[in-house]
Amino acid sequence: MLIIRSLLLSFPILMRLTMIFPIMLVGYMVIGVIAVFLLLIMVAFSPPLAIFVVTALVVALGVFPVMLGIRLSCRQRGVEPVGTYRGMALQSMIYGLAEAFGILIIAAIIIGISYLVAPEMVSTLFTDFLPQDSGPQIITLNDPATPDTLPQLPGVLLIFAAIGIAAIAMRAVLLTPIAGGAVGRDPNGQAHTPFAHVGTYFFTSFLVTFLSFISTIIGYMAVPLIADVLGLSANLEDMFLNIEQGSYSNLGLDAVVLYIYIILLSLWVYAIQGAGALLIHIRLRDQITAYHLANTSNDHMTTQEARALWQSRM
C-alpha cells in the first residue's frame, strides 16, 4: 500500500522539482566547476582519495534532490519542516559521504570475493569492461563482446548487479534518516539527530528505492521507442551530440519534447524516493505518537485503579 501511495505522491513532488530544476542546474554547475578544480589537485597527491571524493560528491548530489522534494512536500502531508536549506544541504553531504563510503566498502568486498573465486573474471572486468585511459584527454571503453571475454560476461554482469543491489540497499538504510534531515526533526518530534532510525522499515525502503531505479531504467530504455514515434530515431545520436556541444539551433519541437521527457525521468527517481521517505517518516511518527498515548492512557488507568482500591479499603 505504501508503495502505491509513494507513486501517487511522487507526481506532486516531481512537479515541484521540475519548477526549481533551472536553479538546481545552475547550482550543480557551480559545484561541478569547484569539484573539478579540487579533484585535479587531489589526483596529484592521492588517486584513491580522489575516487572516494568523486563517489561521495555524486552520491551527495543525488541525496539533495530527495531531501528537497521531501521538504517541498511536507506541508501537503501535514508535516511542518524546521531548520534552513543550508542545514539540509549539510545533512545531504553527511548522508552522501556515509552512503558513498558504504558503497565503496561493499563494492571492494564483492570484487575481493569474486577475485578469490574467479581471478580471471575480475581481470576481465578491469581490462575490458571499465573505461581505459588512452591519453591525456581520451577515455575509451574496450569492446567486451569478444570471444575471449564472452565466457566471463555472466560473472561480470553478476558483479555489476551485486554492486547495484548494494547501492540500493545503502540508500534504503538511510532513507528514514534522510527524511528526518529534510524535515528538520525526527519522527519523535525532537530535533533531527544524524542517522536516527537508520534502517527502519528497511524492506519497504528497499522496495521504494528499487522501484525508483527500475522505473527510471525502463523509462530510459523507452527513449528509442519514443524517438521513433516522434520521428527522431534516424538522428537521435546527432541530437544528443548537438546538445552535448551546446548547439540547439537545429533542434525541433519534437527533440525538445524528448529532452524534457529525459529530464523529467531523471527527476522522477528522486521524487519516488522522496515520497517513500516522507510517508515512512509520517508512519513512524504516528506509531510513536500512538505508543506514547497508549502508555499515558495505561498509566492513567493504573492510577485510577489504585485510587479506587485505596478508597475501597478505607
Side-chain angles (χ1 to χ4, degrees):
M1 186 63 181
L2 191 141
I3 306 297
I4 298 176
R5 292 171 58 200
S6 298
L7 283 175
L8 295 177
L9 182 59
S10 69
F11 293 106
I13 293 179
L14 177 61
M15 291 178 59
R16 293 178 173 87
L17 290 177
T18 303
M19 288 188 289
I20 62 173
F21 175 74
I23 301 175
M24 292 172 53
L25 185 61
V26 172
Y28 278 11
M29 290 174 64
V30 173
I31 295 174
V33 171
I34 298 174
V36 169
F37 176 74
L38 294 177
L39 287 174
L40 290 176
I41 299 176
M42 290 182 185
V43 168
F45 293 98
S46 176
L49 177 61
I51 293 174
F52 173 73
V53 172
V54 169
T55 306
L57 183 62
V58 171
V59 174
L61 293 179
V63 172
F64 182 75
V66 177
M67 300 183 75
L68 187 60
I70 294 172
R71 192 174 183 89
L72 294 174
S73 303
C74 280
R75 290 185 176 89
Q76 178 187 351
R77 305 299 300 185
V79 178
E80 188 66 28
V82 297
T84 64
Y85 283 93
R86 182 181 301 178
M88 188 183 72
L90 178 61
Q91 294 284 348
S92 72
M93 289 299 298
I94 293 174
Y95 290 123
L97 286 170
E99 186 173 337
F101 184 76
I103 292 173
L104 289 175
I105 292 298
I106 296 174
I109 293 174
I110 292 173
I111 293 175
I113 294 175
S114 301
Y115 184 78
L116 293 176
V117 175
E120 300 85 0
M121 180 178 64
V122 177
S123 299
T124 301
L125 169 67
F126 284 99
T127 58
D128 293 282
F129 288 86
L130 293 181
Q132 306 295 320
D133 190 352
S134 302
Q137 295 181 340
I138 301 176
I139 299 294
T140 61
L141 181 64
N142 291 343
D143 184 10
T146 63
D148 294 333
T149 58
L150 279 178
Q152 308 297 336
L153 183 59
V156 171
L157 293 178
L158 184 60
I159 292 177
F160 280 123
I163 295 175
I165 294 297
I168 292 174
M170 281 300 304
R171 175 59 59 89
V173 165
L174 295 173
L175 206 57
T176 302
I178 285 174
V183 175
R185 65 174 80 244
D186 292 329
N188 59 7
Q190 302 297 320
H192 176 62
T193 301
F195 304 102
H197 302 285
V198 63
T200 305
Y201 282 107
F202 171 76
F203 183 70
T204 302
S205 300
F206 183 87
L207 290 180
V208 168
T209 309
F210 183 80
L211 175 65
S212 68
F213 284 112
I214 289 298
S215 59
T216 304
I217 291 173
I218 294 175
Y220 280 130
M221 292 173 62
V223 167
L225 177 62
I226 297 174
D228 186 60
V229 172
L230 296 175
L232 298 172
S233 57
N235 57 348
L236 185 62
E237 184 176 351
D238 294 336
M239 185 194 77
F240 285 115
L241 183 61
N242 291 334
I243 293 175
E244 183 179 351
Q245 295 175 349
S247 176
Y248 303 97
S249 57
N250 297 327
L251 296 179
L253 180 59
D254 293 341
V256 173
V257 170
L258 181 61
Y259 196 55
I260 291 175
Y261 166 79
I262 294 175
I263 293 175
L264 293 176
L265 197 61
S266 301
L267 293 175
W268 196 34
V269 63
Y270 306 122
I272 296 177
Q273 292 179 24
L278 180 56
L279 292 176
I280 290 173
H281 178 90
I282 293 173
R283 174 181 289 184
L284 192 57
R285 180 203 63 184
D286 294 343
Q287 288 180 347
I288 293 174
T289 301
Y291 175 79
H292 287 311
L293 289 176
N295 284 346
T296 302
S297 176
N298 289 336
D299 292 341
H300 182 64
M301 291 291 294
T302 302
T303 302
Q304 288 181 335
E305 291 174 356
R307 184 181 294 115
L309 179 63
W310 175 73
Q311 290 177 348
S312 66
R313 291 181 176 179
M314 290 187 64

